[in-house]
Amino acid sequence: MVLIIRERATLEQVELMLQTLRVYIKVAVDIERGILAGGGEKHAFCEAALLEDGSRQRDIWTPFDQSIAYESIINIRPSQNNRSMVIQDPAIRERIKKITQELIGGYEPEFR
C-alpha cells in the first residue's frame, strides 16, 4: 500500500507501508513540497502517487532505505545533471534525509 505522508507518520501508517516488503519501505520524496510517498513494491509506485498528487517529476527523488543509500533507477536524470542511479548532489541527498527522518524516521514497528 502506497501512502502519501505530509506530516509525521503515525505508527499505524508506518505499519501499513511495511505490509508489502515487511523489512523496509520503498519511498519517493518530493524535495520541494516536503512530502513523501511510501510503501509498495517499487519506487516507481511511490513516484506515480506523488505525480498524481501534483508533484513535479524533477522534484521527486528516491532514497533506498532508512539508512538512505540514495540509489534508484528513477534518479537517472541527465537533464538535471544526475547521470547515475545514485543521487550525486549532496544538497539533494541532505534534503531527502531531512524530510525522510522528519516524516517516517525512528519508528520501531511491531512485526506480527
Side-chain angles (χ1 to χ4, degrees):
M1 170 179 286
V2 176
L3 300 178
I4 295 178
I5 306 297
R6 300 173 198 287
E7 54 190 44
R8 181 92 177 133
T10 65
L11 180 57
E12 293 79 22
Q13 288 172 313
V14 171
E15 288 176 342
L16 284 172
M17 291 184 287
L18 279 165
Q19 283 181 347
T20 303
L21 301 174
R22 297 302 304 158
V23 294
Y24 63 93
I25 301 168
K26 298 273 186 167
V27 301
V29 178
D30 181 326
I31 60 173
E32 290 304 315
R33 295 172 66 199
I35 64 173
L36 64 80
E41 294 178 3
K42 299 179 181 182
H43 291 113
F45 297 163
C46 299
E47 177 188 40
L50 288 173
L51 290 170
E52 196 171 296
D53 189 63
S55 292
R56 297 180 306 177
Q57 198 280 327
R58 66 175 285 116
D59 299 329
I60 301 170
W61 296 89
T62 323
F64 182 69
D65 59 26
Q66 193 162 333
S67 65
I68 309 181
Y70 309 100
E71 184 175 3
S72 174
I73 195 146
I74 70 169
N75 292 334
I76 300 172
R77 302 184 190 180
S79 65
Q80 288 180 263
N81 204 28
N82 202 83
R83 302 183 187 287
S84 167
M85 287 179 29
V86 176
I87 299 171
Q88 298 169 329
D89 185 329
I92 291 173
R93 287 195 307 264
E94 186 57 35
R95 289 172 76 183
I96 291 167
K97 179 180 177 181
K98 181 178 185 275
I99 293 165
T100 303
Q101 289 299 321
E102 285 176 0
L103 296 179
I104 63 171
Y107 282 107
E108 296 289 333
E110 293 181 22
F111 292 101
R112 295 178 182 100

